[in-house]
Amino acid sequence: MPAESEPHERAWMAWPSASYTLGESASEAEEAWVAWAAVANAISEHEPISVLVDPSGRDQARRRLSSAVEQVDARLDDAWYRDIGPTFVVGADPSNQHRLGAVNWVFNGWGQQEWATWEHDARASGVATEHSGAVRIDSPMVNEGGGIHTDGLGTFLVTETVQLDPDRNPGWTKADVEAELVRTVGARKVIWLPRGLTRDSERFGTRGHVDIIATFTEPGRLLVHDQRDGSHPDVAVTAEVVDLLSRETDADGRPLEVVRLPAPKTLVDDAGWVDYSYVNHFVLNGAVVACSFDDPVDAEARDVIADAYPGRSIVTVDARALFARGGGVHCITQQQPAVPSPTSNPGGTP
């Protein structure tokens, strides 16, 4: 699995149409459509993008998405394509030519959550797999794209509360998970974080996705969510994660450098403690689509992200509507890596 910062062939998203994403009112639906469209249209200015659209959402998608966005018909339950889409990988075929692969995980509604439906989402990864022409790689493991992060050189971050969730993979051990990550995405070292952020561990969360806690910006270097307000329960969570990662090495034995990415000053919303996180950004060709929250820390976080990805423009979108529904910019996007030619540098910056 290449790093997200390596060149992309295109990006993938899904258009929101489910009631628990659109909400119970016209204004809530409008809020969701505006948020998803802002991300898709921003991406379309930097790389090709395809968006899966359920038949019930065609009219709204046509109205709001740029003409540069390809719309692909697909039945959907929800719109978190990071989690219901495939994880793309690159490998060599028997003739030693680079080929695109697509790992199709089992999706079961983030551990069979009682509020979730996944009849269509469980098959949604096949849409991008077939559309891209990738070699399909089926996995028996229940997993989501938001539950893993990689440096592109075989080091992976996961959380114990996701891959070892008994409602996802009952009876699986760390060794079982690691073996499957070796087989499917080329893992050479798996670093286990103990848990996720507090809000994400509650009823409408994923039970601990890594992509709002920490991400690799380059081999050996990470951005890590840093909750600075002692009244927020994530202070303990992030302190534990920073301590663990600061003592770790990557697959090549390189000590990890932890760069703290501050949490917003906003602590609560109508549902309780927020899990607003600037870590949940999407790196694409020549740019980064980052979260903003109309928060005093927005500018500082933008500067940290810009320093982490030199040479890329930073595009911010208001992510409050996304987080109110259970995720952020990274959660609704998925990258399809470019397949390198025999003479190309697969680690180069586009």
Side-chain angles (χ1 to χ4, degrees):
M1 181 181 174
E4 190 173 306
S5 55
E6 294 178 31
H8 298 180
E9 177 69 24
R10 70 175 51 247
W12 289 87
M13 290 178 60
W15 185 251
S17 56
S19 61
Y20 57 86
T21 299
L22 296 182
E24 302 299 326
S25 68
S27 62
E28 289 176 340
E30 174 77 11
E31 185 181 62
W33 289 323
V34 167
W36 260 261
V39 175
N41 292 338
I43 292 171
S44 73
E45 296 180 4
H46 297 274
E47 67 186 36
I49 177 171
S50 299
V51 178
L52 278 65
V53 181
D54 187 88
S56 65
R58 286 173 187 157
D59 289 345
Q60 290 294 340
R62 290 191 186 110
R63 285 181 54 202
R64 298 166 186 280
L65 294 175
S66 160
S67 60
V69 177
E70 180 189 34
Q71 298 181 36
V72 180
D73 284 343
R75 294 301 305 276
L76 294 166
D77 296 293
D78 211 345
W80 307 95
Y81 208 64
R82 174 69 54 177
D83 295 344
I84 64 176
T87 295
F88 287 103
V89 295
V90 175
D93 65 15
S95 63
N96 208 33
Q97 296 297 308
H98 290 296
R99 291 289 306 277
L100 181 71
V103 180
N104 284 249
W105 313 105
V106 176
F107 179 76
N108 73 349
W110 302 279
Q112 306 175 71
Q113 304 261 23
E114 49 85 17
W115 48 264
T117 58
W118 58 92
E119 175 188 358
H120 304 300
D121 285 355
R123 299 191 294 271
S125 62
V127 177
T129 299
E130 294 168 14
H131 196 85
S132 66
V135 175
R136 182 174 179 126
I137 303 166
D138 285 319
S139 174
M141 185 166 73
V142 177
N143 189 39
E144 303 94 34
I148 58 175
H149 254 318
T150 184
D151 63 353
L153 298 178
T155 309
F156 280 79
L157 301 177
V158 299
T159 49
E160 295 180 15
T161 53
V162 172
Q163 285 79 14
L164 299 182
D165 178 2
D167 290 317
R168 282 179 168 98
N169 299 300
W172 283 53
T173 65
K174 287 184 177 180
D176 295 330
V177 172
E178 291 176 9
E180 185 62 3
L181 293 174
V182 169
R183 184 185 76 85
T184 54
V185 292
R188 296 192 295 134
K189 178 170 182 177
V190 178
I191 299 173
W192 290 87
L193 305 184
R195 53 180 168 160
L197 299 183
T198 300
R199 174 76 163 263
D200 193 36
S201 303
E202 295 174 351
R203 183 186 175 198
F204 293 107
T206 69
R207 299 180 182 158
H209 272 184
V210 73
D211 68 353
I212 59 173
I213 309 170
T215 184
F216 286 102
T217 59
E218 60 185 87
R221 196 164 187 258
L222 298 129
L223 290 178
V224 179
H225 184 71
D226 181 25
Q227 178 53 255
R228 299 169 174 176
D229 192 306
S231 67
H232 196 298
D234 281 340
V235 165
V237 176
T238 57
E240 185 177 23
V241 170
V242 167
D243 178 65
L244 185 155
L245 291 174
S246 297
R247 293 183 285 105
E248 272 287 0
T249 59
D250 65 13
D252 294 312
R254 182 189 295 110
L256 297 182
E257 177 189 356
V258 171
V259 177
R260 295 171 185 257
L261 185 55
K265 287 189 177 296
T266 304
L267 300 179
V268 297
D269 63 10
D270 292 342
W273 299 111
V274 299
D275 55 1
Y276 291 173
S277 172
Y278 301 106
V279 169
N280 200 268
H281 55 264
F282 181 53
V283 186
L284 62 157
N285 293 348
V288 178
V289 180
C291 297
S292 65
F293 302 98
D294 192 23
D295 188 274
V297 178
D298 283 352
E300 179 186 354
R302 188 186 187 282
D303 289 344
V304 174
I305 292 170
D307 287 343
Y309 301 103
R312 297 180 196 259
S313 61
I314 310 300
V315 181
T316 58
V317 297
D318 190 332
R320 288 174 293 177
L322 297 174
F323 274 85
R325 289 158 174 80
V329 169
H330 194 258
C331 304
I332 65 173
T333 55
Q334 180 62 270
Q335 69 274 5
Q336 177 185 327
V339 177
S341 67
T343 57
S344 68
N345 173 18
T349 299

